[in-house]
Amino acid sequence: MKTQGHVNIDAAVSTPYRFTSRLDVRLSYRWRDSPDHSWTFGSITFQHEVDTRPDYTLPVPKRKPSRAKQEDELQEKLYRVWDHLRSSAMHSLREYLKSGRDRAAIPETFPVTTDSYTRGLNNYSTQFWRDQP
């Protein structure tokens, strides 16, 4: 657990064995107003649907990769996106809790917002307290 005053965020997030285009990161946390108060527990699940359409900005390979190679590359891409989602989610939750905002207002689930240009995650994707477009 990482401690921020009287706030703890569980940093032990299990990596999925296999990834799909729907990625979820569940973070558990707890807080108390002072050492005399009991802990209050909560969790938030960040949800992201990865856009798996081809990236036409990349060069075309000379030979079409095998189906197994394509699947390996997809799993690697999905892992990188999941890991970015996990670290962004932890950072956003930590910043929200450190700022002293209403902890009871943290949603149970949050569908992350994606960048309209890249169709991927950006610095603001996991900020669940921002006004969403």
Side-chain angles (χ1 to χ4, degrees):
M1 294 249 170
K2 293 187 177 184
T3 304
Q4 300 290 339
H6 299 293
V7 173
N8 289 333
I9 299 173
D10 187 358
V13 179
S14 299
T15 305
Y17 175 72
R18 183 161 171 66
F19 296 96
T20 64
S21 61
R22 180 180 166 96
L23 301 177
D24 292 335
V25 171
R26 183 177 184 269
L27 298 178
S28 298
Y29 57 92
R30 65 183 182 165
W31 80 89
R32 62 182 175 182
D33 295 326
S34 71
D36 300 336
H37 289 92
S38 61
W39 288 101
T40 302
F41 296 86
S43 68
I44 180 173
T45 301
F46 293 85
Q47 301 171 329
H48 177 47
E49 187 70 35
V50 178
D51 186 346
T52 57
R53 291 181 289 181
D55 184 354
Y56 294 108
T57 62
L58 298 175
V60 178
K62 293 184 182 194
R63 285 201 262 163
K64 183 177 180 182
S66 69
R67 184 172 293 261
K69 178 72 172 168
Q70 289 176 354
E71 180 60 27
D72 287 347
E73 289 173 355
L74 176 62
Q75 287 297 304
E76 288 174 17
K77 174 187 175 180
L78 292 173
Y79 170 76
R80 286 191 307 272
V81 173
W82 178 87
D83 193 46
H84 183 224
L85 175 62
R86 180 193 54 79
S87 63
S88 295
M90 288 186 73
H91 177 76
S92 290
L93 182 59
R94 185 178 307 115
E95 289 301 310
Y96 183 86
L97 294 170
K98 278 177 40 177
S99 70
R101 290 184 170 103
D102 181 12
R103 293 174 177 109
I106 298 174
E108 289 183 21
T109 59
F110 177 71
V112 301
T113 55
T114 55
D115 185 281
S116 60
Y117 179 72
T118 64
R119 305 181 321 233
L121 300 173
N122 63 27
N123 292 345
Y124 306 103
S125 294
T126 56
Q127 291 182 354
F128 53 87
W129 62 92
R130 289 181 56 223
D131 290 334
Q132 302 305 317

